[in-house]
Amino acid sequence: MNISAQLRPYKKKLLWEAFIKSFLSSLTLGSAAVAFAGLLLRLQNAGPLLSYSLASGGFAFLLSFPLFLFLRDYPTGKKTASRLDSLGLQDRVSTMLEYQNDSSPIAEIQRHDTLERLKKVSPKDLPIRIRKRNWIPCLICLALAAAVLLFGHVTPDTGKTEDTARLQRESVMADMIEELRREVEEAPIPQPLKEALLAVIDQLEQDLEKIDGQLQETATIDAAKRKLEQILEDALTRKPIGTALQQYADTFDLGEALFEGESQPVQLALKASIEEQLTEPDSVDTYINSLSSALSACGVDPSDSLYGAIETFADDLALAEKNTLNDVYEKARTSIEEALTQQAAIEALKETIAENMSSAKDTLLGYHRIDLADPDLLEQGGDNPLVDITTDVIWKDGQSGGNGAQHNAGTGVGQEDADSPSMRVLVYDPETGLVTYGKVLSSYYARYLADVTAGKIPKELQQIIDSYYIALN
Amino acid sequence: MITEKDVTFFAEKCQRILDEIGKDLVGQQDVVENTIIAMIAGGNILLEGVPGVGKTRLVRSIGRAFSLPFSRIQFTPDLMPADVTGTNVIEKDANGQNVLKFQKGPIFSNIVLADEINRATPKTQSALLEAMQEHSVTAGGHTFVLEEPFFVLATQNPIEQDGTYPLPEAQMDRFMFKLIMTFPSRDELADIVTMTQKTMQEQAAAVLTGEDLLVMRETAKEIPVMKEILDYAVQLITASHPELEDAGDYTKKYVRFGASPRAAQALITAAKVRALMQGRYNVSYEDIDALAYPVLRHRIKPSFAAITEKISSDQLIRHLLAEIGKKKKGK
């Protein structure tokens, strides 16, 4: 008598149950692995959270499923018998299975009796039993895994700390906006320029209200700063000079007067530009470009020395009072002086705005400058808590003892000055062009966001870059 | 070799015994069933109950149904061992010489009713020990084998403890079952009153001979027992010992002495009989669970803590079953 064959239909039914149980158990283990890995990665800031967590969960699931199915849940003959007995067969099937090789009459009678009773039990009567202990832990682990993955990017700080930090940041930003507005409104600059600057500041305020996050905020400030600087830069190089000189664009005598004066290269350049302007009076851009080209050709850097050239030009005009075009020159001198005043105001505003916004950005990033006017503080060396901050400070070339600028390496010990060997001086040198991460991070991030918006960065790279910035921050 | 015919015979006889005893005793189904189980399994029974619940009547009815010689010993404080086992008396032989001749006591019967056994002194109670375990009596240097089947059915009263002698552990252990006869319900009491108005005489007819009983005993011995069930029974016994590793905290606190190995033997033997009586050819966990109470309740000695907290033996057994049952399910 083949007892295994008799039990096969029931075994098939129980195989489904085993499959479901193993699936749930493996899912529990897999979810737990996702949650654990996610938490670990979040705490360690190591690697992309989503993909690594899911990979570890998938690995745990795939590894455990066959183990659960074949080593724990698979319906063996004994398990099948036990389940059948629970349907009111009172251990008949289990006994039959144990005594299946017994040829004694009582064992035969027992088998016969059991099989007779088994005929009355259909495989349909065998319920698929999934207990709470199978699915409740599974649900809990799934919820945990989902929570870890969903909130993986949230800072681990407590809500209270985060709120306080956010409020502090908001206060810094509000102060910065207010200061910018005040400075722009008080500056002696043309009204259209004021309006353009205020429009950018208004936009910045709106943008800052919409976002939350230190990095995004500093990136937005950086972007606004660049816009403001661009507007001011344009104003410096084009409008005041252009407007002032354009008044005399149709006065041929001005060029003559200039020509007759000291033939300095810049003056020649200006004359040439004015003459060119006379041929195309409506094209200011062309005029400015040709002026810039002329100045560059004379070896003058338009961004740095233009003002000097214009001042010289104005002085020359003053010297030409004896000329027949005296009145015109006087007007020209006044206009150019006014233009220069505006230039100076714009330049001052540009610096103030840059300083103000950089300061606000640094505060947002938690960056603190070292007060170089306090050498005593610096002399304290490694014992000074501020020196730790100088890990980002660049050594001035020549003082480092090496080739160019270098980092302090976080030891808090500075480089000895050549003149006073016992004194340790920490100097931040803007001329080297080397700056701290704190200063440049937001601008890098802003550029990155712009590229993301423009679709230049593939999605699979975005998470890696995000992690990189989070780690740097 | 057991045959299907033997099994059928067993089931039929059991049913008839139950029917016959039912004529004399109202209610007490569990007690009657367990008494028959113990008798077929060859065990002695201790019946406990308040006066008038039918202890003696049950024993007398069983004696009639089994068609076996029946003797009754009323245990009293002045009862002597010789009154139970018998004694040597001087007789004249054919030559007129005085000779000692052993006069058999009431123990020499197939069914012995030891009524109110706890009223006799321990010395007299001990006179039953050899008979109960070895089914033999030693007197005057001679050992007399008792006729099979042999059973002792003792009764005791749980109240009126003045002037009684609690049975020693060794004696208790020789009883396969301790059965508690509870007070009948209102309907049962009404039936009892109605029935005894007609006649006080037992009505049970003889349905079984001593030989039949021995055949049934041999049949029951053949019933297969799964290893897991055997382990379960053994674990139940070992878990009742506070000094063993198997014991849980509850046992350690509330049990003073656990059940003896005889309990495990009794549990399995009785379970086989119960299985056959229920028309099964295998022992199940249910049999063990059902028989744990009569087998263990007089073998587990509660600790002082259990007595002060009024935790009965049955409660201890219930807890043990739950504890072992959990482990079984855990497997």
Side-chain angles (χ1 to χ4, degrees):
Chain A
M1 189 182 294
N2 189 352
I3 291 172
S4 297
Q6 303 284 336
L7 297 180
R8 198 165 294 141
Y10 308 102
K11 213 170 176 176
K12 273 186 185 172
K13 181 79 181 284
L14 290 178
L15 197 58
W16 277 108
E17 182 184 300
F19 189 86
I20 295 168
K21 277 183 179 175
S22 302
F23 179 82
L24 287 174
S25 298
S26 304
L27 199 60
T28 306
L29 208 65
S31 312
V34 168
F36 181 73
L39 206 61
L40 206 66
L41 289 168
R42 177 74 186 90
L43 293 174
Q44 299 290 325
N45 277 330
L49 187 134
L50 187 70
S51 52
Y52 279 20
S53 304
L54 289 177
S56 59
F59 180 73
F61 178 85
L62 291 175
L63 189 72
S64 61
F65 181 72
L67 292 177
F68 279 128
L69 182 62
F70 293 110
L71 298 182
R72 193 193 67 178
D73 297 326
Y74 187 79
T76 58
K78 206 169 176 179
K79 280 182 186 171
T80 310
S82 178
R83 283 295 298 278
L84 284 166
D85 283 337
S86 69
L87 296 176
L89 291 175
Q90 294 181 299
D91 305 303
R92 281 183 171 89
V93 188
S94 299
T95 308
M96 175 179 74
L97 206 66
E98 189 168 317
Y99 285 82
Q100 60 181 325
N101 297 322
D102 191 331
S103 57
S104 66
I106 189 72
E108 291 285 350
I109 296 168
Q110 201 274 335
R111 275 195 287 275
H112 179 73
D113 170 64
T114 305
L115 291 174
E116 282 300 312
R117 286 174 184 268
L118 208 53
K119 281 177 188 169
K120 295 171 189 169
V121 179
S122 160
K124 288 178 185 172
D125 299 334
L126 207 58
I128 288 181
R129 194 191 297 161
I130 307 296
R131 292 178 178 163
K132 281 183 182 174
R133 70 178 179 197
N134 292 117
W135 59 267
I136 286 183
C138 183
L139 284 181
I140 291 170
C141 286
L142 277 174
L144 270 176
V148 168
L149 292 180
L150 282 174
F151 304 109
H153 291 287
V154 175
T155 173
D157 288 347
T158 63
K160 189 179 176 183
T161 311
E162 188 162 337
D163 284 348
T164 311
R166 192 163 57 82
L167 287 172
Q168 285 174 346
R169 291 205 310 275
E170 281 176 2
S171 166
V172 169
M173 290 185 288
D175 290 348
M176 179 193 71
I177 298 282
E178 193 182 341
E179 188 66 19
L180 287 175
R181 279 209 184 99
R182 191 182 59 76
E183 283 164 357
V184 169
E185 279 165 3
E186 288 176 0
I189 55 174
Q191 192 58 32
L193 180 61
K194 270 187 189 178
E195 285 169 4
L197 292 172
L198 287 171
V200 173
I201 293 167
D202 290 345
Q203 186 61 46
L204 172 64
E205 188 176 27
Q206 287 173 18
D207 290 346
L208 288 175
E209 279 173 5
K210 286 177 196 165
I211 55 173
D212 185 20
Q214 197 179 23
L215 203 56
Q216 289 86 342
E217 286 162 359
T218 50
T220 309
I221 291 172
D222 241 11
K225 184 174 164 234
R226 279 201 301 278
K227 273 186 194 172
L228 290 172
E229 282 173 345
Q230 188 60 47
I231 291 169
L232 290 169
E233 192 66 36
D234 289 348
L236 277 174
T237 55
R238 293 175 60 175
K239 288 183 182 173
I241 302 168
T243 309
L245 294 180
Q246 202 176 9
Q247 292 178 31
Y248 305 99
D250 55 351
T251 307
F252 181 74
D253 291 339
L254 178 62
E256 288 297 314
L258 287 169
F259 184 74
E260 287 172 2
E262 295 293 321
S263 300
Q264 293 297 324
V266 175
Q267 290 166 357
L268 286 172
L270 286 169
K271 176 179 175 292
S273 299
I274 290 165
E275 283 175 348
E276 188 180 338
Q277 177 61 24
L278 289 173
T279 58
E280 291 180 18
D282 295 329
S283 175
V284 176
D285 284 339
T286 309
Y287 165 68
I288 295 300
N289 284 338
S290 64
L291 177 61
S292 296
S293 302
L295 287 168
S296 298
C298 297
V300 179
D301 184 352
S303 62
D304 291 333
S305 308
L306 179 64
Y307 306 140
I310 298 296
E311 276 184 302
T312 308
F313 176 50
D315 290 342
D316 288 341
L317 285 175
L319 290 171
E321 283 179 356
K322 294 173 186 175
N323 204 303
T324 53
L325 294 172
N326 221 19
D327 293 343
V328 177
Y329 295 150
E330 184 58 33
K331 282 182 184 175
R333 176 188 167 83
T334 309
S335 299
I336 288 175
E337 276 177 355
E338 283 174 4
L340 286 171
T341 307
Q342 280 192 0
Q343 293 278 63
I346 292 169
E347 193 171 14
L349 183 63
K350 186 183 167 191
E351 282 179 10
T352 312
I353 285 174
E355 176 68 23
N356 193 347
M357 294 180 91
S358 295
S359 170
K361 202 179 70 177
D362 290 347
T363 310
L364 288 176
L365 288 171
Y367 178 83
H368 302 280
R369 291 168 186 275
I370 290 180
D371 184 5
L372 295 177
D374 186 4
D376 292 341
L377 193 65
L378 297 170
E379 279 178 352
Q380 291 172 19
D383 296 332
N384 181 4
L386 279 178
V387 174
D388 281 341
I389 299 165
T390 65
T391 51
D392 291 332
V393 170
I394 309 301
W395 289 99
K396 188 174 183 178
D397 194 15
Q399 287 185 322
S400 64
N403 189 16
Q406 67 180 32
H407 288 272
N408 187 329
T411 60
V413 179
Q415 180 68 29
E416 290 183 359
D417 188 285
D419 297 331
S420 48
S422 61
M423 184 178 171
R424 295 170 188 274
V425 181
L426 300 165
V427 181
Y428 169 70
D429 184 5
E431 290 176 9
T432 60
L434 298 174
V435 290
T436 63
Y437 266 124
K439 284 179 77 72
V440 297
L441 189 60
S442 56
S443 61
Y444 288 176
Y445 191 66
R447 265 186 243 170
Y448 158 66
L449 287 179
D451 287 345
V452 168
T453 310
K456 291 178 183 174
I457 299 178
K459 280 188 179 176
E460 56 268 27
L461 278 179
Q462 286 176 20
Q463 198 177 5
I464 297 171
I465 298 171
D466 278 339
S467 307
Y468 169 72
Y469 276 112
I470 287 166
L472 284 178
N473 194 35
Chain B
M1 191 68 75
I2 187 173
T3 62
E4 198 160 353
K5 193 179 162 189
D6 294 328
V7 175
T8 313
F9 174 79
F10 188 102
E12 281 176 5
K13 289 292 178 187
C14 284
Q15 192 53 51
R16 284 206 57 194
I17 295 166
L18 285 171
D19 292 344
E20 289 303 320
I21 295 173
K23 290 177 184 173
D24 293 330
L25 204 73
V26 177
Q28 311 285 0
Q29 286 299 318
D30 283 351
V31 174
V32 173
E33 199 178 303
N34 284 331
T35 305
I36 294 167
I37 288 170
M39 291 186 73
I40 296 172
N44 305 297
I45 300 159
L46 176 62
L47 283 168
E48 188 176 278
V50 293
V53 289
K55 298 187 291 291
T56 309
R57 190 176 176 86
L58 168 67
V59 177
R60 291 172 67 88
S61 182
I62 282 173
R64 286 175 65 90
F66 278 79
S67 183
L68 291 169
F70 169 82
S71 66
R72 182 178 190 275
I73 309 167
Q74 182 65 50
F75 278 61
T76 53
D78 58 350
L79 188 76
M80 299 304 289
D83 298 333
V84 175
T85 59
T87 188
N88 287 317
V89 294
I90 299 170
E91 276 188 0
K92 287 191 185 295
D93 62 6
N95 300 324
Q97 296 292 316
N98 287 336
V99 290
L100 284 172
K101 190 182 176 188
F102 183 70
Q103 182 72 47
K104 289 180 178 176
I107 195 88
F108 288 87
S109 182
N110 289 103
I111 298 176
V112 176
L113 169 60
D115 212 5
E116 295 194 81
I117 191 171
N118 58 338
R119 293 208 175 275
T121 59
K123 185 181 178 183
T124 308
Q125 289 172 0
S126 299
L128 284 171
L129 283 177
E130 187 188 355
M132 288 169 75
Q133 186 60 34
E134 279 97 35
H135 292 196
S136 63
V137 173
T138 303
H142 295 282
T143 299
F144 303 92
V145 177
L146 297 170
E147 194 182 342
E148 291 293 342
F150 174 79
F151 313 101
V152 173
L153 290 95
T155 68
Q156 70 175 9
N157 188 345
I159 55 171
E160 294 178 12
Q161 297 298 309
D162 293 344
T164 62
Y165 301 91
L167 291 173
E169 303 306 325
Q171 181 118 21
M172 282 289 224
D173 196 35
R174 280 165 171 78
F175 288 106
M176 180 181 249
F177 285 176
K178 179 183 177 183
L179 303 173
I180 309 287
M181 293 193 81
T182 53
F183 194 82
S185 65
R186 183 183 286 188
D187 290 342
E188 286 171 351
L189 187 57
D191 288 345
I192 290 167
V193 172
T194 309
M195 188 172 74
T196 51
Q197 290 302 305
K198 295 172 188 170
T199 174
M200 288 296 287
Q201 188 62 40
E202 289 83 17
Q203 301 296 310
V207 292
L208 205 68
T209 63
E211 289 75 26
D212 292 339
L213 191 64
L214 293 175
V215 169
M216 289 169 77
R217 188 178 296 173
E218 291 307 312
T219 305
K221 280 180 185 173
E222 296 291 324
I223 294 297
V225 185
M226 261 203 309
K227 190 177 177 304
E228 280 86 351
I229 293 178
L230 198 69
D231 289 343
Y232 178 66
V234 169
Q235 208 177 349
L236 196 61
I237 303 304
T238 54
S240 72
H241 285 262
E243 73 279 9
L244 296 183
E245 282 181 6
D246 282 352
D249 292 339
Y250 192 85
T251 303
K252 284 176 182 166
K253 185 177 179 187
Y254 293 118
V255 178
R256 192 172 161 203
F257 295 118
S260 71
R262 280 198 190 98
Q265 292 171 323
L267 206 50
I268 293 297
T269 312
K272 288 180 173 183
V273 177
R274 186 177 187 270
L276 264 181
M277 278 179 75
Q278 296 200 344
R280 251 183 300 117
Y281 306 101
N282 62 282
V283 173
S284 81
Y285 286 106
E286 266 184 42
D287 297 322
I288 304 293
D289 289 351
L291 294 170
Y293 295 94
V295 169
L296 297 180
R297 65 163 63 104
H298 57 297
R299 289 184 164 104
I300 292 178
K301 195 163 178 66
S303 68
F304 181 73
I307 294 165
T308 53
E309 291 179 36
K310 294 184 178 172
I311 294 172
S312 67
S313 295
D314 280 13
Q315 281 174 288
L316 291 172
I317 294 163
R318 195 174 301 121
H319 195 275
L320 268 179
L321 286 171
E323 205 172 76
I324 307 299
K326 268 185 195 170
K327 287 182 187 172
K328 181 186 79 179
K329 282 175 189 170
K331 284 180 184 176

